[in-house]
Amino acid sequence: MSNQHKIFARTQPAKPIVWSIAGSDSGGGAGIQADSLTIHDLGGHACNVVTAITAQNSHQVIDVAPTCAMVLLNQLNCLLDDLPPSAIKIGVLANAEQFQLISHWLSNTLRPYQQQHDLLIPVIWDPVMVSTSGQSLTLANNSPTVDDYISLANHVTLITPNAFELQVLARLLQAQGNTSQEPLECLANAVLSSVLVTGGADIDTFAIDWLMAKSIAHTSVFHAHQRIGFQSSRVDTRHNHGTGCALSAAIATAMAFGHPLLDAIVIAKAYVHQGLSSGYGLGKGAGVLGRNGWPHDLVHFPEILMPHYASLSINHGLVFAKVIQPLGVYTVTKSVSVLEQVLKSGARTVQLRIKNNSVDKRPLNEIEKDIIQAISLGHKYKAQVFINDHWEIALKHGAFGVHLGQEDVLQANLLQIANAGLALGLSSHGYFEMLLAQQLNPSYLAIGHIFSTPTKQMPSKPQGLLKLSRYCKLLKNKMPLVAIGGVDLQNLAQLKATAVHDVAVVRGIESTENPGQSWQALQQKWQALT
């Protein structure tokens, strides 16, 4: 390799390392082979810890040879020494000894490693019991007990049983005295991890996977402890070998890229749906998924079903007013004075963001005076003035629109807002919240926070430019998209390159000596960028 090529290789962006702890499928359709294809297809680097060697093809498994405990342990420790994971997927474990070894290693080796390096390494476990063709992949003479399953489940982030595996585990738990009759509830009550039952319950042409979420990191508190459904159109194909492996590996890979669990699940669901849509046959049995890279087409992403969203009239055809003109550089401020200055300077879209009384301690009647003044200024300058949170006051005084966060949506009467002819802006912080928000057909969608910002405490991590560009590919033709969080003159060009429609600025205007001039400088540069 020439020196020029060596320099080029060193400057490439690092790929997140994702481990697959699973069995080898000699037919290449499932197991470590499917995991590795998925991880690489989504942009990660796959490392393999082989738990078993199988003799199988597209329609049968004729032999399973488990990896001995010492070799299995050596694989884990050798990789951790040099190629530590950003995420781990666990698949087939061939016997009780492997269950106990992996549980012990996660608890006594990986956990201290994470504490030492201040890391949170997600572990996704697909508890494979049988192959697609129906053969057992766990040795009958050394089968794990229900206690082995529960012990391992308590050391992982997410467990992804299919409907059959869920039924088996639930029956074992019920035999031990678990009183929950509903299988998902039974398993979820017995383990510390979140549980996603895969395979999809049939409803006509749709399939729904259900998640029992528990304490999900970097996620709104309103979504972190919920029962959530992911509904997808059913793909009519027999080429579905390895779908469970691909789904769990895709979840792990998405999390390795920094996506929280709920985002990772919808990415993985879209990836598998996309793969099923282009699956192909090879042998006599079920064929395999197509590998088409990171999903960008909304048709493959699931609809999200949440019980506490039922009252939001998601399926009642809500229609909100459209934005009349592009938002451009969208000023967000708590100050009526700042709002007036940017309007005088030419801004035609602004937001008055006065938070509820847990932040702003003034009496509500004083806050209402500011809102009335902001709305009046909007009429004076023929501007699109959005009022944050205080939707009832905005409605009362004829604001152009309201802006709501994910939590605020649950408290607002969206039907009343729509019927009054107001525009609606919604906040989102990743794929999951974006999908929830777009199901409500808002007038625009704010995506944040893109860069670190001191103006607001957020449960989510900064999104960054790569994620933003992917969000824009997904929804850019659906509604106006607005990037918010840490936006300034220095990063406008980078933001423009993601194809985001508009940008919202808080501190870069509100905290300056001359907000009007600051807005003009930002707006002129934004318009000059192509």
Side-chain angles (χ1 to χ4, degrees):
M1 181 184 291
S2 70
N3 288 334
Q4 182 180 3
H5 288 161
K6 289 179 181 178
I7 293 171
F8 179 79
R10 285 201 302 270
T11 58
Q12 294 306 295
K15 293 175 177 286
I17 293 173
V18 182
W19 289 9
S20 168
I21 303 174
S24 172
D25 174 1
S26 56
I32 273 184
Q33 284 79 0
D35 291 348
S36 294
L37 286 171
T38 299
I39 293 163
H40 285 295
D41 199 32
L42 289 172
H45 174 79
C47 291
N48 300 150
V49 175
V50 181
T51 61
I53 298 173
T54 69
Q56 64 176 294
N57 52 35
S58 67
H59 67 98
Q60 63 178 332
V61 180
I62 64 171
D63 200 2
V64 178
T67 303
C68 73
M70 183 57 69
V71 172
L72 181 56
L73 182 61
N74 284 341
Q75 289 179 86
L76 294 166
N77 290 333
C78 181
L79 283 177
L80 188 63
D81 178 63
D82 183 50
L83 296 166
S86 296
I88 297 173
K89 176 263 170 80
I90 301 174
V92 166
L93 300 177
N95 52 40
E97 186 178 25
Q98 290 190 354
F99 271 76
Q100 294 156 16
L101 186 153
I102 296 295
S103 293
H104 186 271
W105 187 86
L106 290 173
S107 177
N108 294 283
T109 301
L110 187 66
R111 181 182 295 168
Y113 177 88
Q114 292 180 88
Q115 292 170 344
Q116 178 185 352
H117 297 278
D118 192 25
L119 296 172
L120 183 61
I121 300 172
V123 181
I124 312 302
W125 178 29
D126 179 18
V128 184
M129 295 178 180
V130 296
S131 69
T132 302
S133 54
Q135 288 96 345
S136 174
L137 295 170
T138 302
L139 299 183
N141 61 352
N142 191 10
S143 296
T145 65
V146 66
D147 290 336
D148 291 329
Y149 276 99
I150 300 307
S151 176
L152 180 53
N154 286 337
H155 292 110
V156 306
T157 308
L158 176 72
I159 177 173
T160 63
N162 61 29
F164 168 78
E165 292 153 354
L166 177 67
Q167 293 285 348
V168 171
L169 291 170
R171 284 198 298 269
L172 290 172
L173 288 166
Q174 288 162 354
Q176 286 194 338
N178 191 310
T179 57
S180 300
Q181 295 302 308
E182 200 271 327
L184 178 55
E185 184 177 303
C186 179
L187 180 57
N189 287 343
V191 300
L192 300 176
S193 58
S194 297
V195 180
L196 176 70
V197 57
T198 69
D202 282 308
I203 300 180
D204 296 325
T205 58
F206 293 97
I208 304 175
D209 294 352
W210 286 98
L211 170 75
M212 292 290 281
K214 294 185 179 180
S215 303
I216 298 175
H218 307 300
T219 299
S220 166
V221 66
F222 290 91
H223 302 146
H225 303 269
Q226 294 289 342
R227 184 182 181 119
I228 304 170
F230 301 89
Q231 177 175 286
S232 302
S233 59
R234 189 167 288 282
V235 180
D236 184 15
T237 180
R238 67 188 291 264
H239 303 316
N240 59 2
H241 188 41
T243 52
C245 301
L247 181 75
S248 51
I251 293 172
T253 307
M255 294 193 77
F257 274 100
H259 292 281
L261 180 61
L262 294 179
D263 286 8
I265 289 172
V266 297
I267 293 165
K269 289 285 295 174
Y271 179 78
V272 170
H273 191 274
Q274 175 179 270
L276 286 168
S277 300
S278 60
Y280 55 93
L282 292 169
K284 299 174 184 177
V288 298
L289 303 182
R291 306 290 171 175
N292 303 294
W294 198 276
H296 295 301
D297 191 335
L298 192 59
V299 71
H300 297 303
F301 281 79
E303 179 181 352
I304 296 169
L305 309 178
M306 297 183 71
H308 65 261
Y309 267 68
S311 62
L312 300 183
S313 303
I314 289 177
N315 296 315
H316 292 179
L318 294 176
V319 178
F320 300 98
K322 302 296 183 184
V323 291
I324 299 170
Q325 52 191 316
L327 279 63
V329 174
Y330 178 17
T331 301
V332 178
T333 178
K334 63 180 181 290
S335 166
V336 175
S337 173
V338 170
L339 184 143
E340 183 172 16
Q341 289 179 65
V342 297
L343 288 175
K344 284 182 177 179
S345 297
R348 289 299 173 262
T349 306
V350 292
Q351 180 188 137
L352 184 67
R353 185 169 74 179
I354 301 176
K355 303 306 291 181
N356 57 36
N357 58 12
S358 64
V359 177
D360 191 319
K361 303 297 185 181
R362 292 180 300 160
L364 188 59
N365 65 326
E366 291 188 21
I367 292 174
E368 184 169 7
K369 289 179 182 178
D370 281 359
I371 293 173
I372 292 171
Q373 188 177 353
I375 294 171
S376 176
L377 287 167
H379 295 321
K380 177 180 178 180
Y381 289 98
K382 297 182 173 56
Q384 303 172 141
V385 174
F386 285 83
I387 305 300
N388 186 284
D389 288 1
H390 298 279
W391 65 272
E392 290 174 298
I393 300 176
L395 207 62
K396 176 181 175 182
H397 297 289
F400 176 82
V402 296
H403 182 95
L404 300 173
Q406 291 279 320
E407 296 83 1
D408 306 311
V409 165
L410 303 176
Q411 313 301 324
N413 188 325
L414 297 185
L415 188 59
Q416 192 175 347
I417 293 170
N419 288 343
L422 271 65
L424 176 67
L426 294 179
S427 294
S428 67
H429 308 94
Y431 279 101
F432 178 82
E433 291 188 358
M434 288 173 61
L435 291 173
L436 264 183
Q438 68 88 27
Q439 289 172 196
L440 297 173
N441 298 309
S443 310
Y444 72 83
L445 184 63
I447 303 171
H449 53 307
I450 307 304
F451 306 108
S452 296
T453 173
T455 59
K456 189 178 180 182
Q457 290 294 320
M458 303 295 297
S460 56
K461 294 180 179 179
Q463 299 293 324
L465 295 166
L466 174 61
K467 290 180 184 177
L468 178 60
S469 66
R470 286 173 169 168
Y471 302 154
C472 292
K473 285 181 181 179
L474 183 65
L475 290 178
K476 67 180 179 181
N477 296 322
K478 184 80 173 178
M479 68 195 71
L481 303 176
V482 186
I484 187 170
V487 178
D488 57 31
L489 278 169
Q490 283 65 50
N491 54 40
L492 282 184
Q494 294 173 299
L495 290 164
K496 194 76 169 185
T498 68
V500 73
H501 299 104
D502 308 290
V503 292
V505 183
V506 185
R507 185 168 45 94
I509 292 175
E510 188 176 66
S511 300
T512 61
E513 291 184 4
N514 192 319
Q517 288 183 3
S518 297
W519 174 83
Q520 285 181 335
L522 287 159
Q523 177 71 7
Q524 288 168 5
K525 182 168 182 178
W526 183 251
Q527 289 179 325
L529 293 167
T530 58

